[in-house]
Amino acid sequence: MSSFKKNAYTYATIVAMGGFVFGLDAALISGTTNYLTDEFSLNKLELGIAVGAPAWGVLLALIFVGYAVDKIGRKRALQISALIYLISAFGSALAPNYWVFFWARFLGGLAFSSISMASMYIGEIAPPKLRGKLVTMIQVNIVVGLSAAYFMNYFIQNLASSGADWVSSLGIDTNTWRWMLGSEILFALLWFTLLSFIPRSPAWLMLKGRIEDAKKTLRKVIPENRITTQVSEMEENMNAGGSDHSIWTQLKEIFSPPMRITFIIAMTLAIVQQSTGINAILFYAPTVFEQLGMGTNAAFAQAIWIGLISVVFTFLGLMAVDKIGRRPMIIGGMLWIVISLGICFYGFKTASYSLKQEHITELTELSDSNRLSKLVGIAFDSDIEFKKAITESLGEEDSKAFADSLLKQAVSINGLLVLIGILSFVAAFQSTLGPVMWVLFSEIFPISNRGIAIPFFTLVTSLTSSLVQTFFPWQLENLGISSTLLFYASTVAIGLVILFKYLKETKNMTIEEVQLALAARK
């Protein structure tokens, strides 16, 4: 491998590590939901708000990140994000009450904007033939981080119930959720340290008129005989957007008629990627598996399968993106996602829920459990009907405490079919739509407005994600899991139709060539 490729891989690997920290931060919360509910006496909506707090934080960050990456540069902005992750991890693990916890998680969401900055930076230092692979490394790191979070949660959960003296002395058994969230601290610190070794983005240096500095960076990642041509193309691309690079001018350019097709592609991807429900599945993985009738420990173990599938198929996507191309991976992946969600919908839709007398007898913690006797032997067609009947029999307070436990005992479902559907869905997302969206975001915007365009559409993605995360517990409670999954599948199907019409192949093109290709369709 040439020194240019080695440098490009090294810088991309360091920057993409932010995806690992993001994955940790995003998924560690999945193991703490029951603990948080008990610790802070939360209802379903409050739990959703706590889990979704980072997604709301990133909405605020993305309003300013476009200004930041153009003002102080991609490198400095990434370093600030790493520092914010570190502070947030400490705050979340040590939070004494719900609101301190919420604001610590919200603060961590400010750092989630690093994903858009990472794709921007890597897209600007990567050679065209490696751009897809290098940008996809962000998604690889995200899923490795997600998987690591599931393993850590499972490991700490088992430690907490081991009864070992040293576990008690460290408080792992009494502060289990704090240890889960605190495991992020070391990795955030490591990323913050490594970011000092990457160079400034050549595109940002060009925007600042520092042409010689831009050439120095380019010499590290492309051959000498390509530098003059690359600088000329970058200058031409910047000049195409005019000399005014203010935020308002860049925003107007995004909405201008010449960028109509680019806008449609980016907006559709931004909404559909999170409307798949991927974060609901990943962040609430144990909760979803408990819907299959599994106990808590089994649900944690099954969540690890999601992590493993994510890693394997993201690596496959990494290998394929520069060979198969962006369009077939997006179109094929979305079709795969719709089919997978359809399988899950069918599995949950055909489930039934029926209490037996032994289920009631086992509830020794419930006072006057005979209140449930009238439900014995009655088959309910949905989790919503079953939970409603439980509430009518026990009242709001006892129902809140025991409904989930009763549901796990009463459910009769084709668990294997649903498990296959969920794992197929995760495989489809992580190998196609998940990583390839970021590849396209790094390619389809001109240098003149990419500092604002990428954060803007990431803002749309984050808003969609925050809505999905916040309302998922509410949807489970009020719509049922089958209807929720059908909603996700329908949204993806609509996006599939739009992208089938407008999305164009961009592999092996320079950023400048992509602009010409998109313009040719307008």
Side-chain angles (χ1 to χ4, degrees), residues 15 65-66 69-70 73-74 78 113-126 135 138 201 203-204 438 441-442 449-456 458 511:
V15 172
V65 75
V69 294
D70 280 349
R74 286 54 157 152
L78 284 165
S113 59
S114 63
I115 298 301
S116 66
M117 292 186 281
S119 66
M120 186 188 307
Y121 178 92
I122 295 174
E124 291 170 355
I125 60 102
V135 173
I138 300 171
S201 160
W204 180 77
W438 297 110
F441 276 12
S442 74
N449 68 30
R450 61 195 291 106
I452 295 298
I454 294 178
F456 173 80
T458 305
I511 292 174

Side-chain angles (χ1 to χ4, degrees), residues 326-340:
R326 286 55 157 158
R327 178 181 166 85
M329 289 189 70
I330 287 289
I331 300 302
M334 290 175 71
L335 181 60
W336 185 2
I337 288 170
V338 171
I339 294 172
S340 300

Side-chain angles (χ1 to χ4, degrees), residues 190-264:
L190 177 61
W191 188 44
F192 176 76
T193 304
L194 290 176
L195 283 171
S196 63
F197 295 99
I198 66 171
R200 295 275 196 172
S201 160
W204 180 77
L205 292 168
M206 289 290 294
L207 281 173
K208 295 300 178 181
R210 297 165 57 177
I211 298 176
E212 290 305 315
D213 288 336
K215 289 181 178 179
K216 288 180 182 179
T217 298
L218 288 171
R219 287 190 180 95
K220 297 177 181 179
V221 294
I222 64 174
E224 183 71 33
N225 60 7
R226 276 284 303 155
I227 292 176
T228 301
T229 302
Q230 183 71 18
V231 169
S232 297
E233 289 179 350
M234 292 169 71
E235 287 180 326
E236 182 179 346
N237 191 266
M238 284 189 297
N239 292 334
S243 58
D244 183 359
H245 296 294
S246 66
I247 293 177
W248 180 244
T249 298
Q250 292 183 60
L251 280 173
K252 287 196 296 183
E253 186 179 351
I254 293 170
F255 288 92
S256 66
M259 288 196 67
R260 182 175 63 89
I261 301 300
T262 301
F263 180 90
I264 292 173

Side-chain angles (χ1 to χ4, degrees), residues 29 32 50 94 134 147 216 230 314 331 337 343-344 347 366 400 434:
I29 192 72
T32 69
L94 300 175
L134 295 184
S147 302
K216 288 180 182 179
Q230 183 71 18
T314 302
I331 300 302
I337 288 170
I343 292 173
C344 295
L366 176 63
K400 178 181 177 182

